[in-house]
Amino acid sequence: MPNPRLADRYAKSLIDLSTERGSLEIVQQDMRYIQALCKASREFLNMLRSPIIKSDQKEKMVAAVTKGNVSELTVAFNNLLVKKGREADLPEIAGAFINQYNALKGIHQVKLTTAVAVSDELKKSIEAKVKTANSFATIELETVTNESLIGGFVLEFDNKLVDASIAHDLREIKKQFSKNVYIQNI
């Protein structure tokens, strides 16, 4: 079961330690790698969360999978998590670390969902408009395609949602027809 408070505490500790050692950028790249690894490999997640696999085996497996891809500080942190029995929380800790890093650096994550893939120049245009409209210094634009939108786009950032999709418009029209404010209720 995900524990966001625990993930935030471990992430904060790792940010403080990596800042103290001057390796914040390197550890941030390591956490992005671990987050991508957890998203890509269901088997890796199952291994982390398995109560059957002993902690020393998990430590060896995590070290083997991340060998050469993460820094020594991240390896030591992963070993600490395994020794404390918190290895199942590694994906949430990596996500919390990235969120805290972005908040520290003033980076805003923006998610653009469209019905079809968008060109690079359109991405740059959207980035520029979001930056100027919201006074953001830096943004990370993530693009997703979802054919069920039919057309238009959905833009998500800072707990805000701009839904300019055709599917949304059709749902609104359907609501209006089901209410039908022009006919008196009997």
Side-chain angles (χ1 to χ4, degrees):
M1 176 188 262
N3 189 344
R5 284 184 24 188
L6 177 118
D8 285 339
R9 287 180 182 166
Y10 273 98
K12 175 76 170 117
S13 298
L14 185 58
I15 282 183
D16 291 344
L17 182 62
S18 59
T19 303
E20 182 181 300
R21 294 196 179 176
S23 60
L24 181 63
E25 300 299 323
I26 295 168
V27 175
Q28 184 261 348
Q29 292 172 354
D30 296 345
M31 288 295 125
R32 288 196 182 276
Y33 171 77
I34 289 172
Q35 186 180 45
L37 176 68
C38 291
K39 284 182 180 177
S41 176
R42 184 87 174 138
E43 293 82 17
F44 183 71
L45 273 177
N46 289 338
M47 181 273 301
L48 288 175
R49 294 184 174 144
S50 173
I52 298 170
I53 301 172
K54 296 190 182 332
S55 63
D56 59 334
Q57 292 173 327
K58 286 183 183 181
E59 190 173 335
K60 289 177 186 175
M61 287 185 218
V62 170
V65 169
T66 60
K67 184 178 182 181
N69 294 316
V70 296
S71 65
E72 290 181 28
L73 181 60
T74 305
V75 169
F77 180 75
N78 290 342
N79 291 341
L80 175 73
L81 286 178
V82 173
K83 285 185 174 114
K84 296 281 186 181
R86 300 289 191 189
E87 66 278 354
D89 297 312
L90 182 59
E92 288 81 20
I93 293 170
F97 182 93
I98 292 167
N99 290 339
Q100 290 179 20
Y101 173 85
N102 288 344
L104 186 69
K105 296 291 184 177
I107 300 170
H108 298 272
Q109 291 183 322
V110 178
K111 182 178 179 183
L112 174 68
T113 307
T114 57
V116 294
V118 293
S119 66
D120 288 336
E121 64 184 52
L122 184 59
K123 287 180 191 177
K124 289 178 183 174
S125 171
I126 290 171
E127 282 183 22
K129 288 191 189 275
V130 170
K131 279 182 184 180
T132 55
N134 297 291
S135 303
F136 292 160
T138 310
I139 66 168
E140 284 182 358
L141 183 66
E142 174 191 356
T143 57
V144 178
T145 57
N146 181 356
E147 292 179 2
S148 69
L149 293 180
I150 303 170
F153 65 91
V154 176
L155 193 66
E156 300 174 60
F157 61 95
D158 291 348
N159 293 326
K160 295 178 184 170
L161 178 75
V162 177
D163 193 346
S165 66
I166 293 176
H168 176 274
D169 292 342
L170 290 173
R171 284 191 302 272
E172 290 299 316
I173 291 170
K174 184 178 178 181
K175 275 191 222 174
Q176 288 177 3
F177 275 120
S178 66
K179 275 187 187 175
N180 203 349
V181 294
Y182 302 109
I183 297 177
Q184 280 289 345
N185 292 334
I186 298 176

